[in-house]
Amino acid sequence: MPGALPSPWSGAALKKNDIVSPWTRGRWVDSEVFDHTSVLQFLERWTGVPCSLISPWRRRVCGDLTSAFDFDTPVYGLTALPDPAPAGQTVATCPVCRVTGGSNAPSATSMPAQEAGTRPARALPYQPNVYLDHYTVSGSTSKAYFNFENTGAQVSRAAHFSFYLNAYRRDPPWQYTVDAGGSTSDYFNIGSGFGSGKYDFTVIGPNRFLRQFKGNASTATGRGARVRSYFADGGHGALAIWFDLYNDNDAAVTFTLKSDQYRSIQETVTVPPTAGAATTSTRSSTPTPGTTSPSPSPSPSPSATTARGPSVLSATSKQVPPASPVEPIRRVPGQHSSYRRAPCPGLTKTSKR
């Protein structure tokens, strides 16, 4: 390439990419974040020649394509291929090599349907998680604090999140990068001029990660009914998403957890009112009778959270009379103390005015 570019190349989306190789046989899917610089990073690994036009941030976030390959167990030989010609249309004949039949284009077209079934997937180098940690209220100023996490035994690469403000604000999406094993936090104003307590946010991340937060912190129930999500063993050797359900109110609150995809789950949990300390009830996306989760120390979290991904659950809450039945709970004292996570290196905290 003649000349030198003045700065590192910027990112661009790498759409569906098919890799044909003896080391990729088996119709595997790799959902790691890749872009056009991933091809350059792969060539770096293959040739040993470094490319100076890839920024450090892009190396943190975008993979080098090697996770798509299984170099230990290649599969050689040819595979059966489908007929290359559409039904009813003749193909080119040799040695003339010309089409002997006319076009057989359909008279009516439609969007293609997604292929049914599942495919094996390569392991991913991150475990994204986001939850609404707590609220602060001072006069007409209200703030919602969010925690961004990327932790887990398999985590080895940074995870990038885009934070969308769906209503009450006109800001473009805010961007956050959390290094492997790290976490960070930030807040958004939801007070006067920014919804007056109402909020509607969406966070997206790698591998179809999606969290949606929507509620009203101007009411006592909206501020006191909170949910924290995290990942832990589901009690039977499989990873599950867990929810700590909090109630800081003076009356019992009922939470409804409902699966939107992949399985049929709907559970109602009533958490009793507080007596000077928050009370919680812990639920898993894969409930198994008689099992418990090795849950980490809980912290304050959201009033209404929707988790979408391999386990898809919706958590909503409503206040109920104190006489309502109460599920067994796990009391956690001292949950009103200040809780903060260390900021991610390289992330500049900006006030959301």
Side-chain angles (χ1 to χ4, degrees):
M1 182 182 296
L5 296 180
S7 61
W9 288 339
S10 61
L14 182 61
K15 302 299 183 182
K16 180 180 181 295
N17 186 35
D18 294 323
I19 301 178
V20 180
S21 164
W23 299 282
T24 59
R25 294 280 290 271
R27 304 185 73 180
W28 287 76
V29 175
D30 191 348
S31 298
E32 186 176 348
V33 175
F34 301 120
D35 73 348
H36 64 289
T37 66
S38 299
V39 179
L40 296 175
Q41 294 186 64
F42 182 84
L43 292 175
E44 283 183 326
R45 294 286 300 274
W46 187 264
T47 66
V49 179
C51 177
S52 61
L53 299 176
I54 307 174
S55 69
W57 178 87
R58 198 156 303 282
R59 293 183 185 277
R60 287 165 56 201
V61 173
C62 300
D64 60 9
L65 296 178
T66 55
S67 64
F69 295 81
D70 183 358
F71 293 108
D72 295 328
T73 55
V75 179
Y76 300 107
L78 299 177
T79 185
L81 298 175
D83 189 343
Q89 181 174 335
T90 57
V91 297
T93 59
C94 290
V96 179
C97 291
R98 61 185 179 86
V99 176
T100 58
S103 173
N104 192 28
S107 58
T109 60
S110 61
M111 290 293 293
Q114 181 171 324
E115 185 178 2
T118 61
R119 296 286 178 263
R122 301 298 192 193
L124 296 178
Y126 26 64
Q127 183 62 77
N129 187 33
V130 178
Y131 57 91
L132 200 164
D133 187 61
H134 66 283
Y135 308 93
T136 61
V137 180
S138 177
S140 61
T141 301
S142 298
K143 298 177 181 178
Y145 286 76
F146 294 85
N147 275 5
F148 303 77
E149 299 177 340
N150 182 28
T151 59
Q154 82 283 12
V155 174
S156 61
R157 183 174 293 280
H160 184 76
F161 301 91
S162 295
F163 195 105
Y164 288 84
L165 297 80
N166 303 325
Y168 314 115
R169 308 177 61 106
R170 299 179 62 86
D171 303 38
W174 291 78
Q175 309 296 328
Y176 301 87
T177 300
V178 181
D179 283 323
S183 61
T184 190
S185 63
D186 206 352
Y187 69 85
F188 286 83
N189 283 323
I190 58 174
S192 178
F194 301 99
S196 298
K198 296 180 180 180
Y199 57 88
D200 187 351
F201 303 123
T202 297
V203 186
I204 63 173
N207 192 32
R208 299 177 300 146
F209 176 86
L210 175 63
R211 293 286 191 273
Q212 185 176 358
F213 304 91
K214 186 175 182 179
N216 187 355
S218 65
T219 66
T221 304
R223 291 190 302 273
R226 299 170 288 118
V227 179
R228 180 197 172 185
S229 61
Y230 58 96
F231 297 93
D233 187 352
H236 41 77
L239 192 66
I241 183 171
W242 287 80
F243 299 90
D244 279 344
L245 312 177
Y246 291 81
N247 180 15
D248 291 332
N249 293 285
D250 296 330
V253 171
T254 294
F255 295 81
T256 300
L257 285 82
K258 180 179 180 296
S259 176
D260 295 335
Q261 297 284 347
Y262 311 116
R263 68 197 68 189
S264 178
I265 297 176
Q266 182 163 341
E267 183 180 4
T268 299
V269 182
T270 300
V271 181
T274 63
T279 57
T280 68
S281 182
T282 302
R283 291 296 185 272
S284 164
S285 64
T286 54
T288 301
T291 62
T292 58
S293 165
S295 59
S297 299
S299 64
S301 194
S303 65
T305 306
T306 301
R308 298 180 185 272
S311 295
V312 183
L313 295 176
S314 300
T316 59
S317 64
K318 65 178 180 179
Q319 196 165 12
V320 299
S324 298
V326 175
E327 294 279 341
I329 63 163
R330 175 165 58 91
R331 292 189 176 273
V332 184
Q335 289 304 311
H336 294 289
S337 59
S338 175
Y339 179 83
R340 297 290 186 274
R341 293 291 187 124
C344 175
L347 176 66
T348 302
K349 177 70 177 294
T350 305
S351 175
K352 310 301 182 303
R353 296 203 249 290

